[in-house]
Amino acid sequence: MISPDTCVRDIAISRPGATAVFRRHKIDFCCNGAASLSQAAARRGLPVVQLQSELEALGPDEAGPPSDPSALIPHILTRYHEVHRAEFPEAIRLARRVEAVHRAKDDCPHGLADHLALMFDDLEGHQQKEEAVLFPMMLRGGGPMIAFPIERMVAEHLDVGEQLEELARLTTDFAPPPGACTTWRALYEMCRKLDADLREHIHLENNVLFPQFA
Ligand SMILES: [Fe+2]
Ligand SMILES: [Fe+2]
């Protein structure tokens, strides 16, 4: 049985599928992963045994993404950096269309396209720093100066966490209103995926990659 004292970050690392359980219950495993399972459950008003049994139901620990930096960094680049670059522009396009067509409706997500554009702009700057500075340093084995770029990236990850809160607010937790058109529904599904991917991405960096150079 998973102990209620285990921190959510360690569960997210060791149990593939755990991050989906945490996301479902809005438990932050990427930036606030040091909380214990019981603390996280209490914050969400959940019985800790419910979380324990959902996590146990995932089955025993299995191999997740690689943890060695020489394999994990290429995985992060192809699975997350490139995927965000492909998906944000499409989400922004869909949001502009929905906001233009449905602007007179009460539940129109006013400001969503601009918010997504701001997120993408910040993320692009962040990813470029990782690609040009931090990841090459890591692939060369680290060094004493690496603490500074790591600290900076962790701080920027916290900003992404706040942007994701705003994204959830603008999209009413990714739930389109009744009768929403296909574009609107597709847009909210895309936003849900962006949220899931970004949380997983940050989790891999904060909790798996960066600690190896601490
Ligand atoms: Fe990254
Ligand atoms: Fe990052």
Side-chain angles (χ1 to χ4, degrees):
M1 194 74 176
I2 296 171
S3 158
D5 299 326
T6 317
C7 68
V8 294
R9 168 178 56 210
D10 292 343
I11 300 169
I13 291 169
S14 63
R15 242 164 232 260
T19 53
V21 173
F22 291 146
R23 258 203 316 278
R24 198 160 59 237
H25 294 295
K26 299 182 152 226
I27 290 171
D28 181 4
F29 56 89
C30 54
C31 288
N32 293 301
S36 70
L37 192 62
S38 57
Q39 288 169 328
R43 272 180 210 157
R44 306 302 315 173
L46 284 168
V48 71
V49 286
Q50 182 191 331
L51 276 179
Q52 284 172 298
S53 65
E54 283 183 40
L55 292 164
E56 293 291 342
L58 295 170
D61 299 4
E62 282 165 29
S67 59
D68 189 86
S70 65
L72 179 55
I73 287 172
H75 171 75
I76 288 171
L77 294 176
T78 52
R79 171 62 186 84
Y80 297 101
H81 286 212
E82 291 313 317
V83 171
H84 299 322
R85 283 185 177 116
E87 293 184 348
F88 262 95
E90 177 61 12
I92 294 165
R93 261 195 301 276
L94 292 179
R96 295 234 182 273
R97 220 160 88 207
V98 168
E99 286 186 66
V101 174
H102 301 287
R103 62 184 172 277
K105 294 188 181 145
D106 287 343
D107 36 23
C108 175
H110 296 292
L112 178 57
D114 284 347
H115 183 62
L116 286 166
L118 173 83
M119 283 184 77
F120 185 42
D121 204 50
D122 287 352
L123 184 68
E124 187 51 32
H126 175 84
Q127 295 194 151
Q128 280 176 15
K129 279 178 263 176
E130 289 179 339
E131 290 165 17
V133 181
L134 182 59
F135 291 171
M137 272 173 105
M138 288 178 163
L139 291 170
R140 287 194 301 269
M145 299 305 289
I146 206 163
F148 298 102
I150 287 180
E151 205 176 301
R152 174 92 187 265
M153 294 303 107
V154 170
E156 290 185 5
H157 291 165
L158 283 170
D159 297 338
V160 176
E162 282 175 17
Q163 290 175 333
L164 288 174
E165 296 298 315
E166 176 65 5
L167 182 66
R169 191 193 67 75
L170 284 165
T171 58
T172 49
D173 281 323
F174 317 112
C181 67
T182 306
T183 307
W184 202 333
R185 306 176 90 84
L187 167 65
Y188 281 20
E189 253 338 286
M190 255 196 124
C191 290
R192 184 195 298 280
K193 179 171 187 292
L194 288 174
D195 175 272
D197 278 1
L198 279 165
R199 288 181 189 281
E200 201 81 39
H201 175 182
I202 291 172
H203 158 65
L204 284 177
E205 291 176 354
N206 277 5
N207 301 331
V208 183
L209 182 62
F210 296 174
Q212 299 185 55
F213 296 89

